[in-house]
Amino acid sequence: MLRFVLSFLGGVFSWFVTALAFIVLTVGGVFWMYSRDLPSHEQLASYSPKTISRIYDGDGHLMDEFAEERRVFQSSDEMPDLVKQAFISAEDKNFYVHRGYDPRGMVGAALQAARGGAVRGASTITQQVMKNFLLSSDRTVERKVKELILASRLEQTLTKDQILELYLNEIFLGQNSFGVAAASQTYFNKTLDQLAPHEAAMLAAMPQAPSRSTVRDKERITERRNYVLREMMQNGYITRETYEAEAQLPLRTVQNGDFPSFREGLPPRDYFTDEIRRQLSAQFGQEEFFGGGLQIRATVEPELQAIAAEALREALEQYDRGLGVWRGTGESLAPEALANEAAWREALRDAEVPRDIPGWHAAVVLLLGDNDARIGIEGIEEDEDGHWIPARDVEWARKRGPDGRLGPRAQRASDLLEVGDVVLVRAMTSDEDGSFIRWTLRQVPAVQGGFMAMDVETGRVYAMQGGFSYQSSVFNRATQAQRQPGSSFKPFVYAAALDSGFTPATIVEDSPIVLNTPQGLWEPKNAGGGFYGPTTLRTGIEQSRNLMTIRVAQDIGMDTVGRYAEKFGVYDHLGPYLANSLGAQETTLYKMVAAYAMFANGGERVEPTLVDRVQDRRGRTIYRHDQRVCETCDQPALPAGLAPAITADRERVMDAVTAYQLTSMLEGAVQRGSGRGVSLPVPVAGKTGTTNDAKDVWFIGYTSNMVAGCYLGYDQPRSLGQNAYGGTLCVPVFNAFMQKAVEKFGGTRFKVPEGGHFVKIDRHTGARLSADASGPNVISEFFRDGASSEIRLVTGGFQGDPNAPRAWDALPLEATPASGGGQAVTTSTGQRRVIPKQADFGTLSGGGLY
């Protein structure tokens, strides 16, 4: 019997050992098979998660942020223990003692499931890191085995704190928030060290179901939060008193309106930061920009940016208001959404209207009276009498009917509005004391425009506005709109001429031109008609004479003009057509303003930039715009009154004398030409531009240290009207901005370069005058040293009409032969002058070019 029992036990033992060996070999084989092609876990030692790239202004204030995954990376050392303890209690209470997997946790989860309790996960934090980084989320045995293998390997490679750092920065917590730091901002608008225990516990409650809403699923999230708090108490991280007090607190979040949103503290996204996105995405790549955690220091001056936006908006709205056509927003609310205040406020919140225009509010028409309209305004509380649009506020406008025709001018609010219409309104206030007068209707203009201002030495862009409202149109008309610059391009023609032997006193024929082109006869005209006859180069640009510009371009050659335009960066390639000398080829305001900066700084290349520097996530500078070298900045102290010595090795684009001559002529365009509306306390130069049919109007001007430009026009080009000119529409924008800019940055006289000398000239005739000459026609013209004094009359080879009318009676009207081989000129004042064959300053050398 004993032998039988021993034999039986021996058999059982042998069977057990054999089965155990089989199981071990099978499990070992499975683990060996799945471990052969596992991804490397060692890459996690150099973990660089996708993190938010942020843009700061010059004062260090956050302007905007961009991210595919909203994550703010924080090292383990920076994370409060409270946050770590909350997640460990919620997800893996044995984290600091297991080796990557938790057998006790697995058994406990299995027993709980067998007893019919709630199924809880048995994955450790280390396993979750492996799943999130290296594996898929498939619910398969294969994935689980791989997860266990990799988790055990990772525990041998990284410390526990390093693993926890990976987990807390990578985990998705809902609301597009990845990592605990970003989630803390999203839900509470707090940093991690500001969180209370119940708030840290709520974050730790989110991994179980990150898609839950803190608004709709408030009770379930609160239950999970309190479970985490209880686990924290049981694990010894908080006291029972703390647990009981924290568990009684309500769930308070940004989404429930308990805290202001983090985004509310940021200015609304604008054209400036979006242009930075476009440029840096191209330079560094989309992935690096949106996920590289870049720290970007922008060149913007917030005060000037606000002024630029306001000045451009005022000009656009004033023009649009003058047309007297009501378009509205095109948005309306359904009748059921007007049932009560809560309903219309919720519906109005979803209306797609711009909300980035200072002082403007979205509103809905609630009631139409006999004359007035009652409105409900977003963000403004209702009062006993309600808010109203009076009849007198609509009398400026007409509305188009279904047939597209304009109706009569409105007499009452119902002539423009219907119940349910979503409108934009602004509070009208008293200029004297700022007191409220009434609400007034506004609308986003159909006409658009752009504005840009930059430093002429460094290229730092201080302000950029690409339209009326970024939220109504993200298209940036300062950098993306290709438009004809019109006469604002003429300075490049004159710059090429000055470098080709012309002087400001060179005489150019202003008379009719007829060109035979493949498209037929082209007969260009001067703006306003009329002809000046033989006229100085200075007058040609001051008065923006088209026919003179064409003759100059023909004389020096369009190839030369093209090389200059391309060298200044206005075009990649300028077509060799005379019409392009008048600004017929399209370019951008961004390129034009940058090119004018080179006139202002004496002819040296300067590249515009919206970014001073870029740092990576570790604080290393990976881009810096200013490459100038400070020679004395390493000295402990500088002598009193001595500025740091800064050297730059910049390419010279044009001769310094040419740059000064052109600047002097453009000063005249501001003082006596179409830009004479400019009014600044410092010297300023500039040029207007108005294209055919006034489809585009421009003004670009500069002081000694800043250049700014404005463009206005419709996105789908059409005429702005008979009275639309660069001087009437863009100059006021330039004025409003530059007056504030000069207050901040000042300005001086334009620097006179070496290599030239001043000679007094009659600016009408080009005649050289004595040093003591004075009068309204006398001007000190700057001439290049050593330049030939021989000046020819330039007609560009076009035959002028000797009977053509002359518009300016101070210029020569007819010419007859004179003795001595010269030419006698009779002016409109009856004076006679003899012009010798060998012409000097201000004289004519026709060369058969009339």
Side-chain angles (χ1 to χ4, degrees):
M1 184 67 180
L2 180 61
R3 181 180 298 174
F4 174 77
V5 171
L6 291 175
S7 176
F8 176 77
L9 292 175
V12 170
F13 179 75
S14 298
W15 178 85
F16 177 77
V17 170
T18 302
L20 183 62
F22 178 76
I23 292 172
V24 169
L25 289 173
T26 301
V27 172
V30 169
F31 273 76
W32 175 80
M33 180 176 64
Y34 285 133
S35 66
R36 288 182 302 169
D37 58 349
L38 287 177
S40 172
H41 65 282
E42 295 178 355
Q43 61 182 284
L44 298 184
S46 57
Y47 169 62
S48 295
K50 291 183 178 181
T51 53
I52 299 170
S53 290
R54 286 177 160 166
I55 300 175
Y56 299 87
D57 65 22
D59 297 326
H61 299 131
L62 182 61
M63 294 176 62
D64 208 342
E65 56 182 30
F66 294 87
E68 289 180 358
E69 298 178 357
R70 193 173 186 283
R71 179 185 288 106
V72 180
F73 181 82
Q74 284 204 308
S75 67
S76 179
D77 294 339
E78 297 172 323
M79 290 186 188
D81 289 339
L82 180 68
V83 174
K84 298 178 185 178
Q85 294 161 357
F87 277 85
I88 289 172
S89 298
E91 298 293 318
D92 186 5
K93 66 180 181 180
N94 298 318
F95 173 70
Y96 282 110
V97 296
H98 64 61
R99 297 184 177 180
Y101 55 91
D102 186 7
R104 287 184 296 174
M106 294 178 186
V107 172
L111 291 175
Q112 183 172 330
R115 289 195 296 265
V119 178
R120 61 183 177 90
S123 293
T124 63
I125 285 177
T126 313
Q127 288 175 269
Q128 292 183 56
V129 168
M130 290 296 92
K131 181 184 69 173
N132 292 338
F133 282 93
L134 302 178
L135 301 172
S136 68
S137 297
D138 299 339
R139 292 179 175 271
T140 62
V141 173
E142 177 182 348
R143 196 268 294 169
K144 199 68 178 178
V145 171
K146 291 181 176 181
E147 187 181 286
L148 290 171
I149 297 170
L150 287 171
S152 61
R153 290 179 180 178
L154 185 65
E155 291 274 348
Q156 299 169 16
T157 305
L158 301 180
T159 65
K160 288 288 187 179
D161 281 343
Q162 288 175 318
I163 295 172
L164 190 60
E165 178 183 286
L166 292 175
Y167 175 75
L168 292 178
N169 278 294
E170 183 68 17
I171 190 168
F172 177 59
L173 296 171
Q175 296 286 324
N176 195 35
S177 296
F178 291 79
V180 291
S184 179
Q185 279 186 342
T186 299
Y187 290 111
F188 308 114
N189 193 11
K190 295 181 179 181
T191 58
L192 291 177
D193 56 2
Q194 295 174 324
L195 296 180
H198 70 281
E199 293 168 333
M202 197 218 86
L203 293 183
M206 296 306 293
Q208 185 186 62
S211 60
R212 285 178 180 165
S213 166
T214 57
V215 178
R216 295 188 303 271
D217 305 308
K218 198 171 184 178
E219 292 185 6
R220 299 183 67 181
I221 294 177
T222 302
E223 290 175 5
R224 177 69 179 171
R225 180 202 71 177
N226 292 345
Y227 162 78
V228 175
L229 285 169
R230 185 167 60 253
E231 289 291 310
M232 293 175 71
M233 178 195 67
Q234 293 175 353
N235 294 332
Y237 295 136
I238 60 175
T239 64
R240 175 171 291 277
E241 291 77 12
T242 300
Y243 160 68
E244 292 175 350
E246 296 285 317
Q248 295 298 317
L249 295 174
L251 188 71
R252 303 174 69 241
T253 62
V254 168
Q255 290 69 32
N256 282 295
D258 302 309
F259 306 107
S261 170
F262 172 71
R263 289 292 310 180
E264 290 179 8
L266 294 177
R269 180 163 296 166
D270 61 10
Y271 293 101
F272 203 105
T273 58
D274 192 54
E275 182 62 23
I276 290 177
R277 173 198 61 80
R278 285 199 326 114
Q279 293 188 10
L280 293 190
S281 293
Q283 183 173 351
F284 294 107
Q286 292 271 357
E287 183 176 351
E288 179 66 13
F289 180 79
F290 284 97
L294 304 179
Q295 306 297 304
I296 302 158
R297 186 59 60 95
T299 60
V300 67
E301 289 286 337
E303 181 184 0
L304 295 186
Q305 175 64 33
I307 294 168
E310 181 182 358
L312 182 63
R313 286 193 190 112
E314 183 176 345
L316 293 171
E317 190 182 12
Q318 183 176 353
Y319 173 84
D320 183 72
R321 198 90 166 176
L323 297 178
V325 178
W326 173 253
R327 295 178 309 280
T329 66
E331 295 280 316
S332 61
L333 303 186
E336 54 269 22
L338 306 177
N340 53 64
E341 182 178 346
W344 67 253
R345 286 195 182 278
E346 181 177 357
L348 185 59
R349 185 171 59 246
D350 297 331
E352 295 183 0
V353 294
R355 292 174 170 84
D356 60 345
I357 307 166
W360 287 27
H361 303 269
V364 59
V365 178
L366 301 174
L367 174 69
L368 288 174
D370 292 338
N371 295 299
D372 306 338
R374 181 170 181 173
I375 56 174
I377 307 174
E378 185 176 66
I380 304 295
E381 292 185 4
E382 287 285 89
D383 58 27
E384 187 174 332
D385 299 326
H387 304 296
W388 294 84
I389 297 293
R392 65 179 178 275
D393 188 64
V394 303
E395 293 173 352
W396 62 274
R398 296 181 295 169
K399 187 177 181 180
R400 293 190 184 277
D403 59 357
R405 296 182 179 180
L406 283 174
R409 197 167 296 278
Q411 300 297 318
R412 57 186 65 84
S414 58
D415 291 339
L416 299 183
L417 306 174
E418 296 180 6
V419 173
D421 281 355
V422 176
V423 295
L424 295 167
V425 298
R426 178 177 64 83
M428 181 182 291
T429 56
S430 169
D431 293 335
E432 296 179 358
D433 57 10
S435 59
F436 175 80
I437 298 175
R438 59 182 171 86
W439 292 103
T440 176
L441 286 175
R442 317 315 289 176
Q443 65 180 356
V444 174
V447 67
Q448 285 286 358
F451 184 88
M452 172 180 161
M454 63 179 270
D455 187 289
V456 302
E457 296 291 345
T458 65
R460 299 178 71 243
V461 177
Y462 292 134
M464 173 186 288
Q465 185 71 9
F468 187 83
S469 158
Y470 178 81
Q471 291 182 5
S472 67
S473 171
V474 299
F475 183 65
N476 190 331
R477 293 152 190 89
T479 61
Q480 295 175 284
Q482 296 281 342
R483 305 308 289 259
Q484 294 179 335
S487 294
S488 64
F489 176 74
K490 289 177 181 176
F492 302 99
V493 179
Y494 285 77
L498 291 168
D499 268 348
S500 300
F502 284 58
T503 75
T506 297
I507 303 299
V508 181
E509 175 74 10
D510 182 18
S511 62
I513 294 174
V514 178
L515 285 172
N516 192 7
T517 72
Q519 291 75 34
L521 291 179
W522 178 44
E523 192 172 356
K525 304 289 185 184
N526 287 317
F531 312 98
Y532 289 176
T535 307
T536 60
L537 194 72
R538 167 180 288 277
T539 299
I541 195 167
E542 285 186 0
Q543 303 301 321
S544 198
R545 308 303 288 174
N546 292 339
L547 298 176
M548 292 178 66
T549 304
I550 292 172
R551 282 187 162 88
V552 171
Q554 175 73 0
D555 189 83
I556 63 177
M558 278 303 297
D559 289 342
T560 301
V561 175
R563 284 197 302 273
Y564 268 72
E566 292 157 18
K567 186 164 60 172
F568 277 90
V570 178
Y571 300 107
D572 294 330
H573 172 72
L574 179 68
Y577 312 111
L578 283 173
N580 287 341
S581 68
L582 304 181
Q585 187 167 317
E586 295 175 339
T587 185
T588 65
L589 178 67
Y590 185 80
K591 292 180 178 179
M592 289 289 289
V593 171
Y596 269 62
M598 300 178 218
F599 301 156
N601 68 22
E604 294 184 341
R605 182 170 302 284
V606 59
E607 298 291 343
T609 181
L610 284 75
V611 173
D612 276 329
R613 72 172 184 270
V614 179
Q615 294 174 299
D616 65 13
R617 70 179 74 217
R618 295 175 180 82
R620 296 175 300 193
T621 298
I622 57 177
Y623 168 82
R624 184 167 67 95
H625 173 74
D626 194 347
Q627 298 298 320
R628 296 177 301 169
V629 177
C630 181
E631 303 289 351
T632 56
C633 289
D634 58 347
Q635 297 182 11
L638 293 175
L642 187 64
I646 297 177
T647 60
D649 185 20
R650 294 192 303 204
E651 175 192 358
R652 178 156 292 282
V653 181
M654 68 189 301
D655 182 79
V657 172
T658 300
Y660 183 79
Q661 288 176 324
L662 186 64
T663 292
S664 175
M665 293 160 69
L666 292 177
E667 280 189 276
V670 168
Q671 293 165 1
R672 294 175 290 273
S674 56
R676 57 184 174 273
V678 174
S679 177
L680 296 179
V682 299
V684 58
K687 185 71 185 73
T688 60
T690 305
T691 62
N692 286 345
D693 299 324
K695 292 179 180 177
D696 307 293
V697 295
W698 298 65
F699 180 77
I700 306 172
Y702 54 91
T703 63
S704 60
N705 54 19
M706 188 180 299
V707 58
C710 165
Y711 150 78
L712 266 67
Y714 289 100
D715 287 341
Q716 299 299 321
R718 66 178 190 264
S719 176
L720 292 168
Q722 293 182 346
N723 297 319
Y725 301 98
T728 58
L729 294 180
C730 277
V731 164
V733 180
F734 178 86
N735 254 342
F737 175 84
M738 288 298 290
Q739 285 168 0
K740 295 294 184 181
V742 168
E743 288 181 9
K744 182 168 186 176
F745 289 95
T748 63
R749 293 184 179 277
F750 293 104
K751 183 180 179 182
V752 180
E754 297 179 355
H757 59 280
F758 286 97
V759 176
K760 286 191 175 182
I761 296 292
D762 185 314
R763 62 184 178 87
H764 286 167
T765 66
R768 183 170 185 170
L769 304 175
S770 63
D772 59 352
S774 62
N777 293 344
V778 178
I779 188 168
S780 291
E781 208 69 87
F782 195 69
F783 289 89
R784 198 182 310 273
D785 289 342
S788 171
S789 62
E790 181 176 349
I791 305 298
R792 62 189 179 93
L793 171 67
V794 176
T795 68
F798 297 110
Q799 187 67 27
D801 180 0
N803 299 315
R806 314 289 182 168
W808 197 352
D809 62 8
L811 294 175
L813 296 180
E814 57 176 296
T816 58
S819 60
Q823 187 178 53
V825 175
T826 302
T827 71
S828 60
T829 59
Q831 296 177 323
R832 301 283 293 176
R833 288 187 58 210
V834 176
I835 308 301
K837 286 182 179 180
Q838 190 72 17
D840 58 11
F841 290 116
T843 64
L844 311 178
S845 178
L849 296 176
Y850 274 103

